[in-house]
Amino acid sequence: MSLEGRTVSILGVTGSVGESTIRVIEDLRAQGVAIGVEAVTAGANVDGLAAACRRLKPRFAAIADPNLLAAAREALAGLQIEVGAGPAALEEAGAREADWVMAAIVGAAGLTPTMAAVRRGALVALANKECLVCAGPLFMAAARQHGATLLPVDSEHNAIFQVLTHPDRVEKLTLTASGGPFLNASRSHMARATPDQACAHPRWSMGRKISVDSATLMNKGLELIEAAYLFEIEQEKLDVIIHPESVVHSFVHYVDGSVLAQMASPDMRVPIAYALAWPDRARIGAERLDLPKLGALTFQGVDLERFPALRLCRQALSLGAASTTALSAANEIAVEAFLAGGLAFLDIARTVEATLDALGRSDPGMIAKTPTSFLEVTAVDHAARREARRIAGTMAAA
Ligand code: NAD
Ligand code: MG
């Protein structure tokens, strides 16, 4: 299917990935490529949703917060766009006929609307990593069953996808990590880190949740889990390396000693355009790499003492899929508490670890199994959120 005439939907249109997706579409439309927009969604940002609708002219717009239906209707008045609110409207946005769906809602909240697109066998551009981390095996099985094509947008996974010429001959995958704003910070500095410091990423401009995840390196751990499920590869074959320049987006090592990598400026429009034009490529105006100006690219190992999140993610992955569900849910709660000023930076990973420990003690069977239904996933997710809230509360009080 060619890009010309393709219809798209964007789940999470008001976010950072949503904005980059709009810019890619506008760039292509300016070149005369006809791209229709079926549906867009936002969480609670009515003004952002209205602004996106004026640019994209979708048929349907959904706001997640059910209390904002009237406000959204008012903001979109006169644009001739159907408006919906609440979980059913979000799911409808994924279910509506569009050839290509960008899944860019943050957190486990992205799972149900993304699954609606998967169930009708769409091309699904997957930016939301949490839905794989929280329901990986079920999500992958559903994609296979319904003939959906998953196009990874997370830059590392997109890089791997671009150079995965021989999936059966892979020896190892190496995910690159910028190291975030605290790459060279002392633990005492990290202990006092504020939300704004944690969100000041040196290379990428992103939403606040993923920015905090990048500062703890939880993001890289979530990506390791994402890669394990998405590429169906054992974690022993997954490596992480710090690459502060964020130019090489990941490596695929083959059995003959060849290593293929993809490089680009750190700009999400590059993986988004790749996913949108796949299996072709589209011309877009992202910044070009200036190799002489770059000079040198550097790589270094990860300090697991200062960044324990990576170890926690590996442990969860080896324990069982319910553990990665619980880890992701606990991390969402801990990051929320940190961003609200109610938890210290180093207590994010501590909260996640204590949540997994507590769940493991109270119900060892639950945390080690692989959920066999999305209902089971939701049960684990809710149990982990409850426990994480309790633990974060005691840490905040300490
Ligand atoms: P963001 O916070 O900027 O945007 C999130 C979007 O989701 C917004 O449209 C918001 O309104 C919506 N949303 C928030 N809560 C919601 C809820 N409960 N229900 C429905 N919608 C809700 O996030 P982002 O940085 O664009 O990241 C989106 C996803 O893409 C994340 O899963 C992130 O890990 C992944 N990702 C982002 C980047 C990046 O560069 N920003 C890179 C790789 C992967
Ligand atoms: Mg990434």
Side-chain angles (χ1 to χ4, degrees):
M1 185 195 305
S2 83
L3 178 55
E4 178 68 40
R6 188 169 273 187
T7 56
V8 307
S9 290
I10 306 172
L11 311 175
V13 75
T14 55
S16 162
V17 172
E19 172 62 25
S20 296
T21 308
I22 298 178
R23 289 177 66 198
V24 168
I25 291 170
E26 286 178 336
D27 190 339
L28 293 168
R29 280 179 172 175
Q31 299 171 48
V33 183
I35 297 174
V37 180
E38 180 63 32
V40 297
T41 78
N45 181 354
V46 170
D47 293 343
L49 183 65
C53 285
R54 279 190 285 275
R55 292 162 74 184
L56 293 173
K57 312 268 187 303
R59 288 169 195 265
F60 180 66
I63 189 102
D65 184 337
N67 300 315
L68 292 173
L69 179 60
R73 284 219 170 105
E74 192 180 331
L76 296 175
L79 293 177
Q80 276 146 5
I81 295 171
E82 266 181 79
V83 184
L90 240 66
E91 199 169 347
E92 181 183 342
R96 282 191 163 223
E97 281 306 319
D99 305 312
W100 185 92
V101 177
M102 166 54 77
I105 292 172
V106 62
L111 180 58
T112 305
T114 306
M115 275 303 301
V118 166
R119 285 201 183 95
R120 58 179 183 78
L123 295 172
V124 178
L126 199 60
N128 172 301
K129 65 196 77 186
E130 294 91 346
C131 69
L132 264 183
V133 176
C134 96
L138 285 169
F139 190 87
M140 295 304 294
R144 257 195 308 276
Q145 185 191 340
H146 299 287
T149 303
L150 301 178
L151 302 165
V153 170
D154 209 347
S155 56
E156 299 73 8
H157 307 71
N158 182 269
I160 291 166
F161 187 69
Q162 289 201 32
V163 296
L164 199 54
T165 54
H166 297 71
D168 300 337
R169 297 286 180 263
V170 171
E171 200 163 72
K172 189 173 89 169
L173 304 177
T174 301
L175 305 176
T176 52
S178 70
F182 304 138
L183 175 59
N184 298 310
S186 64
R187 265 187 81 81
S188 61
H189 176 86
M190 290 162 81
R192 295 187 308 272
T194 64
D196 283 345
Q197 287 168 341
C199 288
H201 197 277
R203 298 282 167 200
W204 296 94
S205 154
M206 309 180 285
R208 282 171 83 77
K209 193 260 177 184
I210 183 177
S211 295
V212 175
D213 286 346
S214 298
T216 55
L217 283 204
M218 184 63 81
N219 183 51
K220 212 46 56 178
L222 297 178
E223 289 182 355
L224 191 131
I225 298 169
E226 180 187 8
Y229 292 142
L230 185 64
F231 300 117
E232 298 179 318
I233 187 166
E234 307 89 294
Q235 71 153 305
E236 294 69 35
K237 295 182 175 175
L238 292 169
D239 247 357
V240 171
I241 195 159
I242 302 287
H243 168 45
E245 296 85 7
S246 299
V247 165
V248 180
H249 296 297
S250 279
F251 298 94
V252 180
H253 308 245
Y254 287 100
V255 289
D256 60 0
S258 290
V259 182
L260 301 196
Q262 181 259 1
M263 297 165 65
S265 301
D267 180 337
M268 285 305 288
R269 286 178 298 165
V270 176
I272 291 167
Y274 183 82
L276 182 56
W278 182 88
D280 197 356
R281 285 183 187 268
R283 179 176 300 282
I284 56 151
E287 192 186 334
R288 299 320 195 227
L289 274 186
D290 182 339
L291 293 173
K293 196 167 144 207
L294 274 174
L297 297 178
T298 61
F299 301 95
Q300 64 191 72
V302 183
D303 177 354
L304 291 175
E305 291 297 313
R306 278 185 312 128
F307 298 104
L310 200 53
R311 170 179 54 78
L312 296 179
C313 289
R314 281 199 183 272
Q315 279 169 1
L317 192 54
S318 53
L319 207 55
S323 291
T324 65
T325 310
L327 172 132
S328 187
N331 181 56
E332 281 194 43
I333 295 300
V335 171
E336 237 172 69
F338 169 70
L339 284 173
L343 196 68
F345 181 78
L346 292 177
D347 286 343
I348 298 173
R350 289 189 188 119
T351 298
V352 173
E353 182 159 29
T355 302
L356 290 174
D357 286 351
L359 291 176
R361 274 195 308 275
S362 68
D363 190 350
M366 185 252 272
I367 198 85
K369 71 185 215 184
T370 297
T372 53
S373 70
F374 286 101
L375 267 179
E376 276 180 40
V377 168
T378 307
V380 175
D381 176 283
H382 287 185
R385 280 172 203 264
R386 262 195 313 275
E387 194 58 36
R389 269 195 201 99
R390 189 189 63 76
I391 289 168
T394 57
M395 288 201 183

